[in-house]
Coordinates of all heavy atoms in Angstrom, one line a residue:
L1 N 9.1 24.8 21.4 CA 8.5 25.6 20.4 C 9.5 26.1 19.3 O 10.7 26.4 19.6 CB 7.9 26.9 21.0 CG 6.6 26.7 21.7 CD1 6.2 28.0 22.4 CD2 5.5 26.3 20.8
F2 N 9.0 26.2 18.1 CA 9.8 26.8 17.0 C 8.9 27.8 16.3 O 7.7 27.8 16.5 CB 10.2 25.7 16.0 CG 11.3 24.7 16.6 CD1 10.9 23.6 17.4 CD2 12.6 24.9 16.3 CE1 11.8 22.8 17.9 CE2 13.6 24.1 16.9 CZ 13.2 23.0 17.6
T3 N 9.5 28.5 15.3 CA 8.7 29.6 14.7 C 7.8 29.0 13.6 O 6.9 29.7 13.1 CB 9.7 30.6 14.0 OG1 10.7 29.9 13.3 CG2 10.4 31.4 15.1
S4 N 8.0 27.8 13.1 CA 7.1 27.2 12.1 C 7.3 25.7 12.2 O 8.3 25.2 12.7 CB 7.4 27.7 10.7 OG 8.6 27.2 10.2
G5 N 6.4 25.0 11.6 CA 6.5 23.5 11.4 C 7.7 23.2 10.5 O 8.4 22.2 10.8
Y6 N 8.0 24.0 9.5 CA 9.1 23.7 8.7 C 10.4 23.8 9.5 O 11.3 22.9 9.4 CB 9.1 24.8 7.5 CG 10.2 24.5 6.4 CD1 9.7 24.0 5.2 CD2 11.5 24.7 6.6 CE1 10.7 23.7 4.2 CE2 12.4 24.4 5.7 CZ 12.0 23.9 4.4 OH 12.9 23.6 3.5
V7 N 10.5 24.8 10.3 CA 11.7 25.0 11.1 C 11.9 23.9 12.1 O 13.0 23.4 12.3 CB 11.7 26.4 11.7 CG1 12.9 26.6 12.7 CG2 11.8 27.5 10.7
S8 N 10.8 23.5 12.7 CA 10.9 22.5 13.7 C 11.4 21.2 13.1 O 12.3 20.5 13.7 CB 9.6 22.2 14.5 OG 8.5 22.0 13.6
N9 N 10.9 20.8 11.9 CA 11.4 19.6 11.3 C 12.9 19.8 10.9 O 13.7 18.9 11.1 CB 10.6 19.3 10.0 CG 9.4 18.4 10.3 OD1 9.5 17.6 11.2 ND2 8.4 18.5 9.5
W10 N 13.2 20.9 10.2 CA 14.5 21.1 9.7 C 15.5 21.1 10.9 O 16.6 20.5 10.8 CB 14.6 22.5 9.0 CG 15.9 22.9 8.5 CD1 16.5 22.5 7.3 CD2 16.9 23.7 9.2 NE1 17.8 23.0 7.2 CE2 18.0 23.8 8.4 CE3 16.9 24.4 10.4 CZ2 19.2 24.5 8.7 CZ3 18.0 25.1 10.8 CH2 19.1 25.2 9.9
A11 N 15.2 21.8 12.0 CA 16.1 21.9 13.1 C 16.2 20.6 13.9 O 17.4 20.2 14.2 CB 15.7 23.0 14.0
A12 N 15.1 20.0 14.1 CA 15.2 18.8 15.0 C 15.8 17.6 14.2 O 16.7 16.9 14.8 CB 13.8 18.4 15.4
L13 N 15.4 17.3 13.0 CA 16.0 16.2 12.2 C 17.5 16.5 11.9 O 18.3 15.6 12.0 CB 15.2 16.0 11.0 CG 14.0 15.2 11.1 CD1 13.1 15.3 9.8 CD2 14.3 13.7 11.4
G14 N 17.8 17.8 11.6 CA 19.1 18.1 11.2 C 20.1 18.0 12.4 O 21.2 17.5 12.3
T15 N 19.6 18.3 13.6 CA 20.4 18.3 14.8 C 20.6 16.8 15.3 O 21.7 16.4 15.5 CB 19.8 19.1 15.9 OG1 19.6 20.4 15.5 CG2 20.6 19.0 17.2
L16 N 19.5 16.0 15.3 CA 19.6 14.7 15.8 C 20.5 13.8 14.8 O 21.4 13.1 15.3 CB 18.2 14.0 15.8 CG 17.3 14.5 16.9 CD1 15.9 13.9 16.7 CD2 17.8 14.1 18.3
A17 N 20.3 13.9 13.5 CA 21.0 13.1 12.6 C 22.5 13.5 12.5 O 23.4 12.7 12.3 CB 20.4 13.2 11.2
A18 N 22.8 14.8 12.7 CA 24.2 15.3 12.6 C 25.0 14.9 13.9 O 26.1 14.6 13.8 CB 24.2 16.8 12.4
R19 N 24.3 15.0 15.0 CA 25.1 14.8 16.3 C 25.1 13.4 16.9 O 26.0 13.1 17.7 CB 24.5 15.8 17.3 CG 24.8 17.3 16.9 CD 24.7 18.2 18.1 NE 25.3 19.5 17.8 CZ 26.5 19.9 18.2 NH1 27.2 19.1 19.0 NH2 26.9 21.1 17.9
I20 N 24.1 12.6 16.5 CA 24.2 11.2 16.9 C 25.3 10.5 16.1 O 25.1 10.4 14.9 CB 22.9 10.5 16.8 CG1 21.8 11.1 17.7 CG2 23.0 9.0 17.1 CD1 20.4 10.6 17.5
P21 N 26.3 9.9 16.7 CA 27.4 9.4 15.9 C 26.9 8.2 15.0 O 26.2 7.3 15.4 CB 28.4 8.8 16.9 CG 28.1 9.6 18.2 CD 26.6 9.9 18.1
D22 N 27.3 8.3 13.7 CA 27.1 7.3 12.7 C 25.6 7.0 12.5 O 25.1 5.9 12.3 CB 27.8 6.0 13.1 CG 27.8 4.9 12.0 OD1 27.9 5.4 10.8 OD2 27.8 3.7 12.2
C23 N 24.8 8.0 12.7 CA 23.3 7.8 12.6 C 22.9 7.6 11.2 O 23.3 8.3 10.2 CB 22.6 9.1 13.1 SG 20.8 8.9 13.2
L24 N 22.0 6.6 11.0 CA 21.4 6.3 9.7 C 19.9 6.8 9.7 O 19.2 6.4 10.6 CB 21.4 4.9 9.3 CG 20.6 4.4 8.1 CD1 21.2 5.0 6.8 CD2 20.6 2.9 8.0
V25 N 19.6 7.7 8.8 CA 18.2 8.1 8.8 C 17.4 7.4 7.7 O 17.9 7.3 6.5 CB 18.1 9.6 8.5 CG1 16.6 10.1 8.5 CG2 18.9 10.4 9.5
L26 N 16.3 6.8 8.0 CA 15.5 6.1 7.1 C 14.2 6.9 6.9 O 13.4 7.1 7.8 CB 15.1 4.7 7.6 CG 16.4 3.8 7.7 CD1 16.6 3.5 9.2 CD2 16.2 2.5 7.0
S27 N 14.1 7.5 5.7 CA 13.1 8.5 5.4 C 12.0 8.0 4.4 O 12.4 7.5 3.4 CB 13.8 9.8 4.9 OG 12.8 10.8 4.6
D28 N 10.8 8.1 4.8 CA 9.7 7.8 3.8 C 9.8 8.6 2.6 O 10.1 9.8 2.6 CB 8.3 8.0 4.5 CG 7.2 7.5 3.6 OD1 6.8 8.2 2.6 OD2 6.6 6.4 3.9
A29 N 9.5 8.0 1.4 CA 9.7 8.6 0.1 C 8.9 9.8 -0.1 O 9.2 10.7 -0.9 CB 9.5 7.6 -1.0
L30 N 7.8 10.0 0.7 CA 6.9 11.1 0.5 C 6.9 12.1 1.6 O 6.0 12.9 1.8 CB 5.4 10.7 0.2 CG 5.2 9.9 -1.1 CD1 3.7 9.7 -1.3 CD2 5.8 10.6 -2.3
N31 N 8.0 12.1 2.4 CA 8.1 13.0 3.5 C 8.2 14.5 3.0 O 8.6 14.7 1.9 CB 9.4 12.7 4.3 CG 9.2 11.7 5.3 OD1 8.1 11.3 5.7 ND2 10.3 11.1 5.9
H32 N 7.7 15.4 3.9 CA 7.7 16.8 3.5 C 9.0 17.4 3.3 O 10.0 16.9 3.8 CB 7.0 17.5 4.7 CG 6.7 19.0 4.4 ND1 7.5 20.0 4.7 CD2 5.6 19.5 3.7 CE1 6.9 21.1 4.4 NE2 5.8 20.9 3.7
A33 N 9.1 18.4 2.5 CA 10.3 19.1 2.1 C 11.1 19.5 3.4 O 12.4 19.4 3.3 CB 10.1 20.3 1.2
S34 N 10.5 19.9 4.4 CA 11.2 20.3 5.6 C 11.9 19.2 6.3 O 13.0 19.4 6.8 CB 10.2 20.9 6.6 OG 9.2 20.0 7.0
M35 N 11.4 18.0 6.2 CA 12.1 16.8 6.7 C 13.2 16.5 5.8 O 14.3 16.2 6.3 CB 11.1 15.6 6.8 CG 9.9 15.9 7.7 SD 8.7 14.6 7.7 CE 9.4 13.4 8.7
I36 N 13.0 16.5 4.5 CA 14.1 16.2 3.6 C 15.3 17.2 3.8 O 16.4 16.7 3.8 CB 13.5 16.2 2.2 CG1 12.5 15.1 1.9 CG2 14.7 16.1 1.1 CD1 11.7 15.3 0.7
E37 N 14.9 18.5 3.9 CA 16.0 19.4 4.0 C 16.8 19.3 5.3 O 18.0 19.5 5.4 CB 15.4 20.9 3.9 CG 15.0 21.2 2.5 CD 16.1 21.1 1.5 OE1 17.3 21.5 1.8 OE2 15.9 20.7 0.4
G38 N 16.1 19.0 6.4 CA 16.7 18.8 7.7 C 17.7 17.6 7.6 O 18.8 17.6 8.1
I39 N 17.2 16.5 7.0 CA 18.1 15.3 6.8 C 19.3 15.6 6.0 O 20.4 15.2 6.3 CB 17.3 14.1 6.3 CG1 16.2 13.7 7.3 CG2 18.2 12.9 6.0 CD1 15.1 12.9 6.7

């Protein structure tokens, strides 16, 4: 659980992409701002 959908995207994407070594994120062009900010 997270406090909002924005936070869950920001925290989960930010953590996965930062901590997986040499991770490449492929993001759809119309993804929500929370996903973009997390990435």
Side-chain angles (χ1 to χ4, degrees):
L1 283 173
F2 292 83
T3 51
S4 74
Y6 190 105
V7 173
S8 55
N9 268 334
W10 177 84
L13 279 167
T15 301
L16 289 171
R19 290 197 167 260
I20 297 174
D22 195 32
C23 183
L24 170 67
V25 182
L26 297 109
S27 178
D28 185 282
L30 293 188
N31 275 343
H32 189 263
S34 57
M35 303 175 75
I36 295 168
E37 289 301 321
I39 295 165

